[in-house]
Amino acid sequence: MSVSTYMSRRQVLIGASATALAATLAACGSSDKKEGKSGEAVGQGDASQVDVVTWWQAGSEKDGLEALVKVFNAQFPKTKFANKAIAGGGGSQAKQKLAADLSAGNPPDTYQAHAGAELKDDIDAGYLQDVSKLYDEFKLKDAFPKTLMERLTVDGAIYSVPSNIHRNNVVWASVSVLKAAGLDPAKPAQTIDAWISDMEKIKAAGYTPITMGMAWTQMGLFESVLIADLGAEKYSGLFDGTTDWAGAEVTKAVEHYAKIVSFTDKSLYTEDWEPAIKPIMEGKAAYNVMGDWAVAGFNAAKKTAGTDYVYFPVPGTKGIFDFLADSFTLPEKAKHPGGAKNWLSCISSKEGQVAFNTVKGSIPARTDLTDEEKKKFSEYQRSAMEDFSKDTIVSSIAHGAALPAKASNAMGDALSKFAQGASDAKALQKALAEAYKAAQ
Ligand code: GAL
């Protein structure tokens, strides 16, 4: 069922089924601010270079970026790609540097962000250009699904161009560990309680039941538990005030989460996603909840789905797609606006999206792929395309779709404190409720 809701003030849609949204689109209206503040048309100017900030700096993420840059160089041989990637999964380092550079009036030509509420603060501060004219020029309005267009549209304006869609609520599991604990890898638990009882068995067999790394990976796990316990509609209500962060349903999710955290390996809490998922690849731990960029990590490590590892929606979230999309901006004061325009053209082109996403583990944001083009994707990715087209879509907190950066950062800090043992479940729930309130 549809779970359409709007964020207060900015009208950013945060929860919706992929099918029942046409009516809400009409509410987006049109903007009178279609041009950059300079008055020049969007993306006019120096195209000799493009400085691109991402956090795709290592491993399979770097491979994905390189595949994209190859297409870019072929499409725009006169624009030099300057790689300004900053290490740190989930943008853990990049976001701080970007915030400092933007406030100092020294932006890159384009930077990686997420479709949805995350960009609210940058938009409100006037850092970004409305790029909707580029959507007309590149003919993108019909290429992307409505559910994505709605998350990109803020008061009738659009401030970024998406390169891909990822799913956050996926469990990656080691076949050998599950078997050693007497569990059937083909029959995953269907509820959080059943999953916890499987974790007990895995612990008794002498393996680490589940791993998690630094704060944003903890948020990815926690939001999946929230979705399982609240369901899509009430989960989405957490972002428009219709579900109470201090209420009993969230208490239940926090308690489940606390139990799950008790099965994790503390020594990984400061690690990025790749070291945190490695014990699954090595047959030392059973589960890791991670966005589906993980499939690119398994591919790069030459692991085979079905034999070495299995994947399934976090128990209790089947039929729900916890969505996020990487999306690139065009800041005011960009030094090479023409270069940025070329980058946005490349990442949104069919060629760019196929080259990038086949390597990155994501699915293209474009929905106009031919069957031949779909065949280039892995079995996991084809299943994700199918799920995205029929599941209920909800927005990821950890990856910027659901809440402004201020709120999700504060929630990440609260989870980190909790994992380290510096707060209890009650204090965690209070801190989450306060983080939501403070960002309204
Ligand atoms: C997310 C991003 C993904 C992936 C992940 C891990 O925020 O959307 O594309 O890069 O971080 O770094």
Side-chain angles (χ1 to χ4, degrees), residues 33 69 82 100 112 117 201 215 247 249 264 280 299 336 364 377 402 423 430:
K33 185 174 166 282
V69 171
Q112 177 186 358
K201 290 180 194 144
E249 289 129 335
T264 58
I280 317 305
N299 288 342
H336 310 100
F377 288 82
S423 71
K430 190 162 171 262

Side-chain angles (χ1 to χ4, degrees), residues 55-56 61 89-90 112 114 166 216 273 293 324 326 360 399:
W55 50 89
W56 298 328
E61 305 197 325
Q112 177 186 358
H114 294 111
H166 272 302
W216 67 267
W273 71 270
W293 45 90
L324 62 124
D326 292 301
K360 180 67 168 49
H399 303 284

Side-chain angles (χ1 to χ4, degrees), residues 1-329:
M1 75 170 288
S2 167
V3 284
S4 313
T5 44
Y6 285 90
M7 261 187 62
S8 55
R9 295 191 299 134
R10 304 308 304 188
Q11 303 252 302
V12 176
L13 190 74
I14 49 83
S17 80
T19 48
L21 294 168
T24 53
L25 256 185
C28 291
S30 69
S31 169
D32 51 6
K33 185 174 166 282
K34 291 274 188 239
E35 293 179 349
K37 279 195 187 131
S38 56
E40 291 206 352
V42 180
Q44 291 300 303
D46 192 343
S48 62
Q49 180 168 327
V50 60
D51 294 351
V52 181
V53 171
T54 68
W55 50 89
W56 298 328
Q57 195 266 352
S60 52
E61 305 197 325
K62 183 170 176 239
D63 296 345
L65 180 62
E66 279 169 3
L68 183 56
V69 171
K70 227 172 161 182
V71 175
F72 181 74
N73 289 337
Q75 287 181 345
F76 298 101
K78 291 191 180 139
T79 305
K80 180 174 172 274
F81 171 82
N83 190 354
K84 305 287 176 185
I86 299 167
S92 46
Q93 306 299 321
K95 286 179 185 171
Q96 287 167 25
K97 168 122 183 23
L98 276 167
D101 286 350
L102 285 163
S103 88
N106 183 31
D109 298 317
T110 181
Y111 63 90
Q112 177 186 358
H114 294 111
E118 180 181 274
L119 279 174
K120 177 183 185 300
D121 300 339
D122 291 355
I123 295 167
D124 286 352
Y127 294 154
L128 296 179
Q129 295 193 38
D130 173 2
V131 293
S132 29
K133 277 201 171 156
L134 298 183
Y135 275 69
D136 296 331
E137 192 177 331
F138 302 156
K139 301 196 175 38
L140 296 178
K141 284 192 170 147
D142 294 327
F144 298 140
K146 287 191 174 62
T147 185
L148 174 56
M149 287 302 291
E150 285 167 356
R151 283 165 170 80
L152 291 162
T153 306
V154 182
D155 295 343
I158 306 178
Y159 295 91
S160 64
V161 177
S163 50
N164 59 300
I165 289 170
H166 272 302
R167 182 180 195 174
N168 176 69
N169 58 323
V170 187
V171 180
W172 308 90
S174 159
V175 167
S176 64
V177 175
L178 294 184
K179 283 187 176 160
L183 298 168
D184 182 349
K187 291 192 185 135
Q190 295 299 315
T191 64
I192 295 284
D193 284 323
W195 196 32
I196 287 173
S197 94
D198 287 352
M199 289 189 207
E200 303 276 10
K201 290 180 194 144
I202 293 158
K203 192 176 169 191
Y207 295 90
T208 303
I210 181 164
T211 63
M212 63 182 198
M214 54 175 58
W216 67 267
T217 73
Q218 299 172 16
M219 188 73 233
L221 170 60
F222 176 64
E223 73 185 56
S224 302
V225 177
L226 273 177
I227 296 167
D229 279 337
L230 274 70
E233 190 161 1
K234 284 197 174 151
Y235 169 79
S236 296
L238 289 168
F239 315 125
D240 69 356
T242 56
T243 303
D244 185 3
W245 279 94
E249 289 129 335
V250 176
T251 306
K252 182 179 164 202
V254 169
E255 281 165 2
H256 270 150
Y257 175 72
K259 183 74 198 161
I260 292 169
V261 169
S262 76
F263 290 116
T264 58
D265 172 356
K266 281 195 166 49
S267 72
L268 296 171
Y269 291 174
T270 51
E271 299 288 354
D272 213 324
W273 71 270
E274 285 188 291
I277 207 169
K278 213 167 164 209
I280 317 305
M281 297 184 184
E282 291 173 339
K284 292 180 179 154
Y287 305 120
N288 181 268
V289 171
M290 188 47 55
D292 51 13
W293 45 90
V295 79
F298 280 98
N299 288 342
K302 307 256 177 294
K303 300 291 177 192
T304 309
T307 319
D308 300 315
Y309 70 99
V310 288
Y311 51 80
F312 50 88
V314 170
T317 71
K318 204 171 168 188
I320 303 175
F321 193 108
D322 184 20
F323 151 100
L324 62 124
D326 292 301
S327 207
F328 285 80
T329 57

